[in-house]
Coordinates of all heavy atoms in Angstrom, one line a residue:
M1 N -255.3 13.8 90.0 CA -255.2 13.1 88.8 C -253.8 13.2 88.2 O -253.3 12.2 87.8 CB -256.2 13.7 87.8 CG -256.7 12.8 86.7 SD -257.5 11.4 87.3 CE -258.0 10.5 85.8
E2 N -253.2 14.4 88.2 CA -251.8 14.5 87.7 C -250.9 13.7 88.5 O -249.9 13.1 88.0 CB -251.5 16.0 87.7 CG -250.0 16.3 87.3 CD -249.7 15.9 85.8 OE1 -250.7 15.6 85.0 OE2 -248.5 15.8 85.5
N3 N -251.1 13.6 89.9 CA -250.3 12.8 90.8 C -250.4 11.4 90.4 O -249.4 10.7 90.4 CB -250.7 13.0 92.2 CG -250.1 14.2 92.8 OD1 -249.2 14.9 92.2 ND2 -250.5 14.6 94.0
D4 N -251.6 10.9 90.1 CA -251.8 9.5 89.7 C -251.0 9.2 88.5 O -250.3 8.1 88.4 CB -253.2 9.2 89.4 CG -254.1 9.1 90.7 OD1 -253.4 9.1 91.8 OD2 -255.3 9.1 90.6
R5 N -251.0 10.1 87.5 CA -250.3 9.9 86.2 C -248.8 9.8 86.5 O -248.1 9.0 86.0 CB -250.6 11.0 85.2 CG -250.4 10.6 83.8 CD -250.5 11.8 82.8 NE -249.5 12.8 83.1 CZ -248.2 12.7 82.6 NH1 -247.9 11.6 81.9 NH2 -247.3 13.6 82.9
Q6 N -248.3 10.8 87.3 CA -246.9 10.8 87.6 C -246.5 9.5 88.4 O -245.4 9.0 88.1 CB -246.5 12.0 88.5 CG -246.5 13.3 87.7 CD -246.2 14.5 88.6 OE1 -246.3 14.4 89.8 NE2 -245.9 15.6 87.9
Q7 N -247.3 9.1 89.2 CA -247.0 7.8 90.0 C -246.9 6.6 89.0 O -246.1 5.8 89.1 CB -248.2 7.6 91.0 CG -248.0 6.4 91.9 CD -246.8 6.5 92.9 OE1 -246.3 7.6 93.1 NE2 -246.3 5.4 93.4
E8 N -247.9 6.6 88.0 CA -247.9 5.5 87.1 C -246.6 5.6 86.2 O -246.0 4.5 86.0 CB -249.1 5.6 86.2 CG -249.3 4.4 85.3 CD -250.5 4.6 84.3 OE1 -251.4 5.4 84.6 OE2 -250.4 3.9 83.3
V9 N -246.2 6.8 85.8 CA -245.0 6.9 85.0 C -243.8 6.4 85.8 O -242.9 5.7 85.3 CB -244.8 8.4 84.5 CG1 -243.5 8.6 83.9 CG2 -245.9 8.8 83.5
Y10 N -243.8 6.8 87.0 CA -242.7 6.5 87.9 C -242.6 5.0 88.1 O -241.5 4.3 88.0 CB -242.8 7.2 89.2 CG -241.7 6.8 90.2 CD1 -240.4 7.2 89.9 CD2 -242.0 6.2 91.4 CE1 -239.3 6.8 90.8 CE2 -241.0 5.9 92.3 CZ -239.7 6.2 92.0 OH -238.7 5.9 92.9
Q11 N -243.8 4.3 88.3 CA -243.8 2.9 88.6 C -243.4 2.1 87.3 O -242.6 1.1 87.3 CB -245.2 2.4 89.0 CG -245.6 2.8 90.4 CD -244.7 2.4 91.5 OE1 -244.0 1.4 91.3 NE2 -244.6 3.1 92.5
N12 N -243.8 2.6 86.1 CA -243.4 2.0 84.9 C -241.9 2.2 84.7 O -241.2 1.2 84.2 CB -244.1 2.7 83.7 CG -245.6 2.3 83.6 OD1 -246.0 1.3 84.2 ND2 -246.4 3.0 82.9
H13 N -241.4 3.3 85.0 CA -239.9 3.6 84.9 C -239.2 2.6 85.8 O -238.2 2.0 85.3 CB -239.6 5.0 85.3 CG -238.1 5.3 85.4 ND1 -237.4 5.4 84.3 CD2 -237.3 5.5 86.5 CE1 -236.1 5.7 84.6 NE2 -236.1 5.7 86.0
L14 N -239.6 2.4 87.0 CA -239.0 1.4 87.9 C -239.0 0.0 87.4 O -238.0 -0.7 87.4 CB -239.6 1.5 89.3 CG -239.4 2.6 90.2 CD1 -240.1 2.4 91.6 CD2 -237.9 2.9 90.4
A15 N -240.2 -0.4 86.8 CA -240.3 -1.7 86.3 C -239.4 -1.9 85.1 O -238.8 -3.0 84.9 CB -241.8 -1.9 85.8
D16 N -239.3 -0.9 84.2 CA -238.3 -0.9 83.1 C -236.9 -1.1 83.6 O -236.1 -1.9 83.0 CB -238.4 0.4 82.3 CG -239.6 0.4 81.4 OD1 -240.3 -0.6 81.3 OD2 -239.9 1.5 80.8
K17 N -236.5 -0.4 84.6 CA -235.1 -0.4 85.2 C -234.9 -1.8 85.7 O -233.8 -2.4 85.6 CB -234.9 0.6 86.2 CG -234.8 2.0 85.6 CD -233.4 2.1 85.0 CE -233.3 3.3 84.0 NZ -232.2 3.2 83.1
E18 N -235.9 -2.4 86.4 CA -235.8 -3.7 87.0 C -235.6 -4.7 85.9 O -234.7 -5.6 86.1 CB -237.1 -4.0 87.8 CG -237.2 -5.4 88.4 CD -236.5 -5.5 89.7 OE1 -236.3 -4.5 90.4 OE2 -236.3 -6.7 90.1
R19 N -236.4 -4.6 84.9 CA -236.2 -5.6 83.7 C -234.9 -5.5 83.1 O -234.2 -6.5 82.8 CB -237.3 -5.3 82.7 CG -238.4 -6.3 82.7 CD -239.3 -6.2 81.5 NE -239.8 -4.9 81.3 CZ -240.9 -4.3 81.9 NH1 -241.6 -5.1 82.7 NH2 -241.3 -3.1 81.6
E20 N -234.4 -4.2 82.9 CA -233.1 -4.0 82.3 C -232.0 -4.6 83.2 O -231.1 -5.3 82.6 CB -232.9 -2.4 82.4 CG -232.2 -1.9 81.2 CD -232.1 -0.3 81.3 OE1 -231.2 0.2 81.9 OE2 -233.1 0.3 80.8
W21 N -232.1 -4.5 84.5 CA -231.1 -5.0 85.4 C -231.2 -6.5 85.4 O -230.1 -7.2 85.2 CB -231.5 -4.5 86.8 CG -230.7 -5.1 87.9 CD1 -231.2 -6.1 88.8 CD2 -229.4 -4.9 88.3 NE1 -230.2 -6.5 89.7 CE2 -229.1 -5.7 89.4 CE3 -228.3 -4.1 87.9 CZ2 -227.8 -5.8 90.1 CZ3 -227.1 -4.1 88.5 CH2 -226.9 -4.9 89.6
E22 N -232.4 -7.1 85.4 CA -232.5 -8.6 85.4 C -232.0 -9.2 84.1 O -231.3 -10.2 84.1 CB -234.0 -9.0 85.5 CG -234.6 -8.6 86.9 CD -234.3 -9.6 88.0 OE1 -234.4 -10.8 87.6 OE2 -234.1 -9.2 89.1
N23 N -232.2 -8.5 83.0 CA -231.8 -9.0 81.7 C -230.3 -9.0 81.5 O -229.8 -9.6 80.6 CB -232.4 -8.2 80.5 CG -233.9 -8.5 80.4 OD1 -234.4 -9.5 80.9 ND2 -234.7 -7.6 79.8
Q24 N -229.6 -8.3 82.3 CA -228.1 -8.3 82.2 C -227.5 -9.7 82.6 O -226.4 -10.0 82.2 CB -227.5 -7.2 83.2 CG -227.6 -5.8 82.6 CD -226.9 -4.9 83.6 OE1 -225.7 -5.1 84.0 NE2 -227.5 -3.8 83.9
C25 N -228.3 -10.4 83.5 CA -227.8 -11.7 84.0 C -227.6 -12.7 82.8 O -228.5 -12.8 82.0 CB -228.8 -12.2 85.0 SG -228.3 -13.9 85.6
L26 N -226.5 -13.4 82.8 CA -226.2 -14.3 81.7 C -226.8 -15.7 82.0 O -226.6 -16.6 81.2 CB -224.7 -14.4 81.5 CG -224.0 -13.1 81.1 CD1 -222.5 -13.3 81.2 CD2 -224.5 -12.6 79.8
R27 N -227.3 -15.9 83.2 CA -227.8 -17.2 83.6 C -226.8 -18.3 83.6 O -227.1 -19.4 83.2 CB -229.1 -17.5 82.9 CG -230.3 -16.5 83.2 CD -231.5 -16.8 82.3 NE -231.9 -18.2 82.3 CZ -232.5 -18.8 81.3 NH1 -232.8 -18.1 80.2 NH2 -232.9 -20.0 81.4
C28 N -225.6 -17.9 83.9 CA -224.5 -18.8 83.9 C -224.5 -19.7 85.2 O -223.9 -20.8 85.2 CB -223.1 -18.1 83.9 SG -222.7 -17.2 85.4
G29 N -225.3 -19.3 86.2 CA -225.5 -20.2 87.4 C -224.3 -20.1 88.4 O -224.3 -20.8 89.4
A30 N -223.3 -19.4 88.0 CA -222.0 -19.4 88.8 C -222.3 -18.9 90.3 O -221.8 -19.5 91.2 CB -221.0 -18.5 88.2
C31 N -223.1 -17.9 90.4 CA -223.4 -17.4 91.8 C -224.3 -18.3 92.6 O -224.4 -18.1 93.8 CB -224.0 -16.0 91.7 SG -225.6 -15.9 90.9
C32 N -224.8 -19.3 92.0 CA -225.7 -20.3 92.7 C -224.9 -21.6 92.8 O -225.5 -22.6 93.1 CB -227.0 -20.5 91.9 SG -227.9 -19.0 91.6
G33 N -223.6 -21.5 92.6 CA -222.8 -22.7 92.8 C -222.7 -23.7 91.6 O -222.3 -24.8 91.8
A34 N -223.1 -23.3 90.4 CA -223.2 -24.2 89.3 C -221.8 -25.0 89.0 O -221.8 -26.1 88.6 CB -223.6 -23.5 88.0
Y35 N -220.7 -24.3 89.4 CA -219.4 -24.9 89.0 C -218.8 -25.6 90.2 O -217.6 -26.0 90.1 CB -218.5 -23.8 88.5 CG -218.9 -23.2 87.2 CD1 -219.8 -22.1 87.1 CD2 -218.6 -23.9 86.0 CE1 -220.2 -21.6 85.9 CE2 -219.1 -23.4 84.8 CZ -219.9 -22.2 84.8 OH -220.3 -21.8 83.6
E36 N -219.5 -25.6 91.4 CA -218.9 -26.2 92.5 C -219.9 -27.1 93.2 O -220.1 -28.3 92.8 CB -218.3 -25.2 93.5 CG -219.0 -23.9 93.5 CD -218.3 -22.8 94.2 OE1 -217.2 -22.9 94.6 OE2 -219.0 -21.8 94.4
D37 N -220.6 -26.6 94.2 CA -221.7 -27.4 94.9 C -223.0 -26.5 94.7 O -223.2 -25.6 95.5 CB -221.2 -27.5 96.4 CG -222.2 -28.3 97.2 OD1 -223.1 -29.0 96.6 OD2 -222.1 -28.2 98.4
P38 N -223.8 -26.9 93.7 CA -224.9 -26.0 93.4 C -226.0 -26.0 94.5 O -226.2 -27.0 95.2 CB -225.5 -26.6 92.1 CG -224.9 -28.0 92.0 CD -223.7 -28.0 92.8
C39 N -226.8 -25.0 94.5 CA -228.0 -24.8 95.3 C -229.0 -25.9 94.8 O -229.1 -26.2 93.6 CB -228.6 -23.4 95.1 SG -230.2 -23.2 95.8
R40 N -229.7 -26.5 95.7 CA -230.7 -27.5 95.3 C -231.8 -27.0 94.4 O -232.5 -27.7 93.7 CB -231.4 -28.1 96.6 CG -230.5 -29.1 97.3 CD -231.2 -29.6 98.5 NE -230.4 -30.4 99.4 CZ -230.1 -31.7 99.2 NH1 -230.7 -32.3 98.2 NH2 -229.3 -32.3 100.0
D41 N -232.0 -25.7 94.4 CA -233.1 -25.1 93.6 C -232.6 -24.6 92.3 O -233.4 -24.0 91.5 CB -233.7 -23.9 94.4 CG -234.5 -24.5 95.6 OD1 -235.4 -25.3 95.4 OD2 -234.2 -24.1 96.7
L42 N -231.3 -24.8 92.0 CA -230.8 -24.3 90.7 C -231.2 -25.3 89.6 O -231.0 -26.6 89.7 CB -229.3 -24.2 90.7 CG -228.6 -23.6 89.5 CD1 -229.1 -22.2 89.3 CD2 -227.1 -23.6 89.7
K43 N -231.8 -24.8 88.5 CA -232.2 -25.7 87.4 C -231.5 -25.4 86.1 O -231.3 -24.2 85.8 CB -233.7 -25.5 87.2 CG -234.6 -25.6 88.4 CD -234.8 -27.0 88.9 CE -235.6 -27.0 90.2 NZ -235.2 -28.0 91.1
K44 N -231.1 -26.4 85.4 CA -230.5 -26.2 84.1 C -231.5 -26.4 83.0 O -232.1 -27.5 82.9 CB -229.3 -27.1 83.9 CG -228.4 -26.7 82.8 CD -227.1 -27.6 82.7 CE -226.1 -27.0 81.7 NZ -224.9 -27.8 81.7
G45 N -231.6 -25.5 82.1 CA -232.6 -25.6 81.0 C -232.0 -26.3 79.8 O -230.7 -26.5 79.7
P46 N -232.8 -26.7 78.8 CA -232.3 -27.3 77.6 C -231.3 -26.4 76.8 O -230.5 -27.0 76.0 CB -233.5 -27.6 76.8 CG -234.6 -26.9 77.5 CD -234.2 -26.5 78.8
D47 N -231.4 -25.1 77.0 CA -230.4 -24.2 76.3 C -229.1 -24.1 77.1 O -228.2 -23.3 76.7 CB -231.1 -22.8 76.2 CG -231.5 -22.2 77.5 OD1 -231.3 -22.9 78.6 OD2 -232.0 -21.1 77.5
G48 N -229.0 -24.9 78.2 CA -227.7 -24.9 78.9 C -227.6 -23.7 79.9 O -226.7 -23.6 80.7
K49 N -228.7 -22.9 79.9 CA -228.7 -21.8 80.9 C -229.4 -22.2 82.2 O -230.3 -23.1 82.1 CB -229.3 -20.6 80.3 CG -228.5 -20.0 79.1 CD -229.0 -18.7 78.6 CE -228.1 -18.2 77.6 NZ -228.4 -16.9 77.1
Y50 N -229.1 -21.5 83.2 CA -229.6 -21.8 84.5 C -230.7 -20.9 84.9 O -230.8 -19.7 84.5 CB -228.5 -21.8 85.6 CG -227.5 -22.9 85.5 CD1 -226.4 -22.7 84.7 CD2 -227.7 -24.1 86.1 CE1 -225.5 -23.8 84.5 CE2 -226.8 -25.1 86.0 CZ -225.7 -25.0 85.2 OH -224.8 -26.0 85.1
S51 N -231.6 -21.4 85.8 CA -232.6 -20.5 86.4 C -232.9 -21.1 87.8 O -232.5 -22.2 88.2 CB -233.9 -20.5 85.5 OG -234.4 -21.9 85.5
C52 N -233.6 -20.2 88.5 CA -233.9 -20.6 89.9 C -235.3 -21.1 90.0 O -236.2 -20.5 89.5 CB -233.8 -19.3 90.8 SG -234.3 -19.6 92.5
G53 N -235.4 -22.3 90.6 CA -236.7 -23.0 90.7 C -237.7 -22.3 91.7 O -238.9 -22.6 91.7
V54 N -237.2 -21.4 92.5 CA -238.0 -20.7 93.5 C -237.8 -19.2 93.4 O -237.7 -18.5 94.4 CB -237.7 -21.2 94.9 CG1 -238.2 -22.7 95.1 CG2 -236.2 -21.1 95.3
Y55 N -237.7 -18.7 92.2 CA -237.2 -17.3 92.0 C -237.9 -16.3 92.8 O -237.3 -15.4 93.4 CB -237.3 -17.0 90.5 CG -236.7 -15.7 90.1 CD1 -235.3 -15.6 90.0 CD2 -237.4 -14.5 89.9 CE1 -234.6 -14.5 89.7 CE2 -236.8 -13.3 89.6 CZ -235.4 -13.3 89.5 OH -234.7 -12.1 89.2
F56 N -239.2 -16.3 92.9 CA -240.0 -15.3 93.5 C -240.0 -15.3 95.1 O -240.5 -14.5 95.7 CB -241.4 -15.2 93.0 CG -241.4 -14.7 91.6 CD1 -241.6 -15.6 90.5 CD2 -241.0 -13.4 91.2 CE1 -241.6 -15.2 89.2 CE2 -241.0 -13.0 89.9 CZ -241.3 -13.9 88.9
R57 N -239.4 -16.4 95.6 CA -239.2 -16.5 97.0 C -237.8 -17.1 97.3 O -237.6 -17.9 98.2 CB -240.3 -17.4 97.7 CG -240.5 -18.7 97.0 CD -241.6 -19.5 97.6 NE -241.8 -20.8 96.9 CZ -241.1 -21.9 97.1 NH1 -240.2 -21.9 98.1 NH2 -241.4 -23.0 96.4
R58 N -236.8 -16.6 96.6 CA -235.5 -17.2 96.6 C -234.7 -16.7 97.8 O -233.8 -17.5 98.3 CB -234.7 -16.9 95.3 CG -234.4 -15.4 95.1 CD -234.0 -15.3 93.6 NE -233.6 -13.9 93.2 CZ -234.5 -13.0 92.9 NH1 -235.8 -13.2 93.1 NH2 -234.0 -11.8 92.5
Y59 N -234.9 -15.5 98.3 CA -234.0 -15.0 99.4 C -234.3 -15.7 100.7 O -235.4 -16.0 101.1 CB -234.2 -13.5 99.5 CG -233.8 -12.7 98.3 CD1 -234.7 -11.7 97.8 CD2 -232.7 -13.1 97.5 CE1 -234.4 -11.0 96.7 CE2 -232.4 -12.4 96.4 CZ -233.3 -11.4 95.9 OH -233.0 -10.7 94.8
G60 N -233.1 -16.0 101.4 CA -233.3 -16.7 102.7 C -232.5 -18.0 102.7 O -231.6 -18.3 101.9
A61 N -232.9 -18.9 103.7 CA -232.1 -20.1 103.9 C -232.3 -21.1 102.8 O -233.4 -21.4 102.3 CB -232.6 -20.7 105.2
H62 N -231.2 -21.7 102.4 CA -231.2 -22.7 101.3 C -230.1 -23.7 101.6 O -229.3 -23.5 102.5 CB -230.9 -22.1 100.0 CG -232.1 -21.4 99.4 ND1 -233.1 -22.1 98.7 CD2 -232.5 -20.1 99.5 CE1 -234.1 -21.2 98.4 NE2 -233.7 -20.0 98.8
E63 N -230.1 -24.8 100.8 CA -229.1 -25.8 101.0 C -228.5 -26.2 99.6 O -229.2 -26.2 98.6 CB -229.8 -27.0 101.6 CG -228.8 -28.0 102.2 CD -229.5 -29.1 103.0 OE1 -230.3 -28.7 103.9 OE2 -229.3 -30.3 102.7
T64 N -227.2 -26.6 99.6 CA -226.6 -27.0 98.4 C -226.9 -28.5 98.2 O -227.3 -29.2 99.2 CB -225.1 -26.8 98.4 OG1 -224.5 -27.6 99.4 CG2 -224.8 -25.3 98.6
V65 N -226.6 -29.1 97.0 CA -226.7 -30.5 96.7 C -225.8 -31.3 97.7 O -226.2 -32.3 98.2 CB -226.3 -30.8 95.3 CG1 -226.2 -32.3 95.0 CG2 -227.3 -30.2 94.3
G66 N -224.7 -30.7 98.1 CA -223.8 -31.4 99.0 C -224.2 -31.2 100.5 O -223.5 -31.7 101.4
G67 N -225.3 -30.5 100.7 CA -225.8 -30.3 102.1 C -225.3 -29.1 102.9 O -225.6 -29.0 104.1
K68 N -224.6 -28.2 102.2 CA -224.1 -27.0 102.9 C -225.3 -26.0 103.0 O -226.0 -25.7 102.0 CB -223.0 -26.4 102.1 CG -222.1 -25.4 102.8 CD -221.0 -24.9 102.0 CE -221.1 -23.4 101.8 NZ -220.3 -22.9 100.6
K69 N -225.5 -25.4 104.2 CA -226.5 -24.5 104.4 C -226.0 -23.1 104.1 O -224.9 -22.7 104.5 CB -227.1 -24.5 105.8 CG -227.6 -25.9 106.2 CD -228.7 -25.9 107.1 CE -229.2 -27.3 107.6 NZ -229.6 -28.1 106.5
F70 N -226.8 -22.2 103.5 CA -226.4 -20.9 103.1 C -227.6 -20.0 103.0 O -228.7 -20.5 102.9 CB -225.5 -20.9 101.9 CG -226.3 -21.1 100.6 CD1 -226.7 -20.0 99.8 CD2 -226.7 -22.4 100.3 CE1 -227.5 -20.3 98.7 CE2 -227.5 -22.6 99.1 CZ -227.8 -21.6 98.3
R71 N -227.4 -18.7 102.9 CA -228.5 -17.8 102.7 C -228.4 -17.2 101.2 O -227.3 -16.7 100.9 CB -228.4 -16.6 103.7 CG -228.8 -17.0 105.1 CD -229.0 -15.8 106.0 NE -230.3 -15.2 105.7 CZ -231.4 -15.6 106.1 NH1 -231.5 -16.8 106.8 NH2 -232.5 -14.9 105.9
C72 N -229.5 -17.3 100.5 CA -229.5 -16.7 99.2 C -229.8 -15.2 99.4 O -230.7 -14.8 100.1 CB -230.6 -17.3 98.3 SG -230.8 -16.6 96.7
M73 N -228.9 -14.3 98.7 CA -229.1 -12.9 98.9 C -229.1 -12.2 97.5 O -228.6 -12.8 96.5 CB -227.9 -12.4 99.7 CG -227.9 -12.8 101.1 SD -226.6 -12.1 102.1 CE -225.2 -13.1 101.5
P74 N -229.6 -11.0 97.5 CA -229.6 -10.2 96.2 C -228.2 -10.1 95.7 O -227.2 -9.9 96.5 CB -230.2 -8.9 96.5 CG -230.9 -9.1 97.8 CD -230.2 -10.2 98.5
I75 N -228.0 -10.1 94.4 CA -226.7 -10.0 93.8 C -225.9 -8.7 94.3 O -224.7 -8.7 94.5 CB -226.7 -10.1 92.2 CG1 -225.4 -10.2 91.6 CG2 -227.5 -8.9 91.6 CD1 -224.7 -11.5 91.8
R76 N -226.7 -7.6 94.5 CA -226.0 -6.4 94.9 C -225.4 -6.5 96.3 O -224.5 -5.8 96.6 CB -227.0 -5.2 94.9 CG -228.2 -5.3 95.9 CD -229.1 -4.1 95.9 NE -230.2 -4.3 96.7 CZ -231.4 -4.9 96.3 NH1 -231.4 -5.3 95.1 NH2 -232.4 -5.1 97.1
D77 N -225.9 -7.5 97.1 CA -225.3 -7.7 98.4 C -224.1 -8.6 98.4 O -223.4 -8.7 99.4 CB -226.3 -8.4 99.4 CG -227.5 -7.4 99.7 OD1 -227.4 -6.2 99.3 OD2 -228.4 -7.8 100.4
I78 N -223.9 -9.3 97.3 CA -222.7 -10.3 97.2 C -221.7 -9.9 96.1 O -220.7 -10.6 95.9 CB -223.2 -11.7 97.0 CG1 -223.9 -11.9 95.7 CG2 -224.0 -12.2 98.2 CD1 -224.1 -13.3 95.2
I79 N -222.0 -8.7 95.5 CA -221.2 -8.4 94.3 C -219.7 -8.2 94.7 O -218.8 -8.4 93.9 CB -221.7 -7.1 93.6 CG1 -221.1 -6.9 92.2 CG2 -221.5 -5.8 94.5 CD1 -222.0 -7.4 91.1
H80 N -219.4 -7.8 95.9 CA -218.0 -7.6 96.4 C -217.4 -8.9 96.8 O -216.2 -8.9 97.1 CB -218.0 -6.6 97.6 CG -218.8 -7.1 98.7 ND1 -220.2 -7.2 98.7 CD2 -218.4 -7.7 99.9 CE1 -220.6 -7.7 99.9 NE2 -219.5 -8.0 100.6
M81 N -218.1 -10.0 96.8 CA -217.6 -11.3 97.2 C -217.0 -12.0 96.0 O -217.2 -11.6 94.9 CB -218.6 -12.2 97.9 CG -219.2 -11.6 99.2 SD -220.5 -12.7 99.8 CE -221.0 -11.7 101.2
S82 N -216.4 -13.2 96.3 CA -215.9 -14.0 95.2 C -216.6 -15.3 95.1 O -216.9 -15.9 96.2 CB -214.4 -14.3 95.4 OG -213.7 -13.1 95.5
W83 N -216.8 -15.9 93.9 CA -217.3 -17.2 93.8 C -216.7 -17.8 92.5 O -216.1 -17.1 91.7 CB -218.8 -17.3 93.8 CG -219.5 -16.4 92.7 CD1 -219.7 -16.8 91.4 CD2 -219.9 -15.1 92.8 NE1 -220.4 -15.8 90.8 CE2 -220.5 -14.7 91.6 CE3 -219.9 -14.2 93.9 CZ2 -221.0 -13.4 91.4 CZ3 -220.5 -12.9 93.6 CH2 -221.0 -12.5 92.4
D84 N -216.7 -19.2 92.5 CA -216.1 -19.8 91.3 C -216.7 -19.3 90.0 O -217.9 -19.3 89.9 CB -216.3 -21.3 91.5 CG -215.3 -22.1 90.7 OD1 -214.3 -21.5 90.1 OD2 -215.5 -23.4 90.5
H85 N -215.8 -19.0 89.1 CA -216.3 -18.5 87.7 C -216.9 -17.1 87.8 O -217.6 -16.7 86.9 CB -217.2 -19.4 87.0 CG -216.4 -20.6 86.4 ND1 -215.8 -21.5 87.2 CD2 -216.3 -21.0 85.2 CE1 -215.2 -22.5 86.5 NE2 -215.5 -22.2 85.2
D86 N -216.7 -16.3 88.9 CA -217.3 -15.0 89.0 C -216.8 -14.0 88.0 O -217.3 -12.9 87.8 CB -217.2 -14.4 90.4 CG -215.8 -14.1 90.8 OD1 -214.9 -14.4 90.1 OD2 -215.7 -13.6 92.0
Q87 N -215.7 -14.4 87.3 CA -215.1 -13.5 86.3 C -216.0 -13.3 85.1 O -215.9 -12.3 84.4 CB -213.7 -13.9 85.9 CG -213.6 -15.2 85.0 CD -213.5 -16.4 85.9 OE1 -214.0 -16.5 87.0 NE2 -213.0 -17.5 85.3
F88 N -217.0 -14.2 85.0 CA -217.9 -14.1 83.8 C -219.2 -13.4 84.2 O -220.1 -13.2 83.4 CB -218.2 -15.5 83.3 CG -217.0 -16.2 82.8 CD1 -216.7 -17.5 83.3 CD2 -216.2 -15.7 81.9 CE1 -215.6 -18.2 82.9 CE2 -215.0 -16.3 81.5 CZ -214.7 -17.6 82.0
C89 N -219.4 -13.1 85.5 CA -220.6 -12.5 85.9 C -220.8 -11.1 85.3 O -220.0 -10.2 85.3 CB -220.7 -12.3 87.4 SG -222.2 -11.5 88.0
A90 N -222.0 -10.9 84.6 CA -222.3 -9.7 83.9 C -222.3 -8.5 84.8 O -221.9 -7.4 84.5 CB -223.6 -9.8 83.2
Y91 N -222.7 -8.6 86.1 CA -222.8 -7.5 87.0 C -221.4 -7.1 87.5 O -221.1 -6.0 87.6 CB -223.7 -7.9 88.2 CG -225.1 -8.2 87.8 CD1 -225.6 -9.5 87.8 CD2 -225.9 -7.2 87.3 CE1 -226.9 -9.8 87.4 CE2 -227.2 -7.5 86.9 CZ -227.7 -8.8 86.9 OH -229.0 -9.0 86.5
K92 N -220.6 -8.2 87.7 CA -219.2 -7.8 88.1 C -218.5 -7.1 86.9 O -217.7 -6.2 87.2 CB -218.4 -9.1 88.5 CG -218.8 -9.6 89.9 CD -217.7 -10.5 90.4 CE -218.0 -10.8 91.9 NZ -217.0 -10.2 92.7
Q93 N -218.7 -7.6 85.7 CA -218.1 -7.0 84.5 C -218.5 -5.5 84.5 O -217.7 -4.6 84.2 CB -218.5 -7.7 83.2 CG -218.0 -9.1 83.1 CD -216.5 -9.1 82.7 OE1 -216.0 -8.1 82.3 NE2 -215.9 -10.2 82.9
A94 N -219.8 -5.3 84.7 CA -220.3 -3.9 84.6 C -219.7 -2.9 85.6 O -219.7 -1.7 85.3 CB -221.8 -4.0 84.8
I95 N -219.3 -3.4 86.7 CA -218.7 -2.4 87.7 C -217.2 -2.4 87.7 O -216.6 -1.8 88.5 CB -219.3 -2.7 89.2 CG1 -218.8 -4.1 89.6 CG2 -220.8 -2.5 89.2 CD1 -218.9 -4.3 91.1
K96 N -216.6 -3.2 86.8 CA -215.2 -3.3 86.8 C -214.6 -1.9 86.4 O -215.1 -1.2 85.5 CB -214.7 -4.3 85.6 CG -213.9 -5.4 86.2 CD -213.5 -6.3 85.0 CE -212.6 -7.4 85.5 NZ -212.4 -8.3 84.4
P97 N -213.6 -1.5 87.1 CA -213.0 -0.1 86.8 C -212.4 -0.1 85.4 O -211.9 -1.1 84.9 CB -212.0 0.1 87.9 CG -211.8 -1.2 88.6 CD -212.9 -2.1 88.2
Ligands
LIG1 S1 -232.4 -20.0 95.7 FE1 -230.8 -18.5 95.3 S2 -228.9 -19.6 95.2 FE2 -230.6 -21.1 95.0 S3 -230.9 -21.2 92.8 FE3 -232.3 -19.7 93.5 S4 -231.2 -17.7 93.2 FE4 -229.7 -19.4 93.1
LIG2 S1 -222.9 -15.1 88.2 FE1 -223.8 -13.2 87.5 S2 -224.3 -13.5 85.4 FE2 -224.0 -15.5 86.3 S3 -226.0 -16.2 87.0 FE3 -225.1 -15.1 88.7 S4 -225.8 -13.0 88.6 FE4 -226.1 -14.0 86.6

């Protein structure tokens, strides 16, 4: 019983951390090509912010509006790379020395 409780506390903690991490994103769309050749699944909302149309199955093969094929990867896997307007990325800002 104690183990179940600890497991639940741990899972809640992980979920909180995940939410905290996700909420850091400014939804600028830059990492999805918003300022150059956007991913076909990138959507712009009425608030001017971007979101992914296939968020829960986003990783893997995709195509840009211009027809370029690429793989969508977690931000932690591309954080060391460069993309147009990446200077505004909240995650890049957070790891800046
Ligand atoms: S599939 Fe990936 S690159 Fe395309 S909009 Fe979604 S998160 Fe961005
Ligand atoms: S560039 Fe960074 S802040 Fe902008 S949408 Fe991508 S992950 Fe979010």
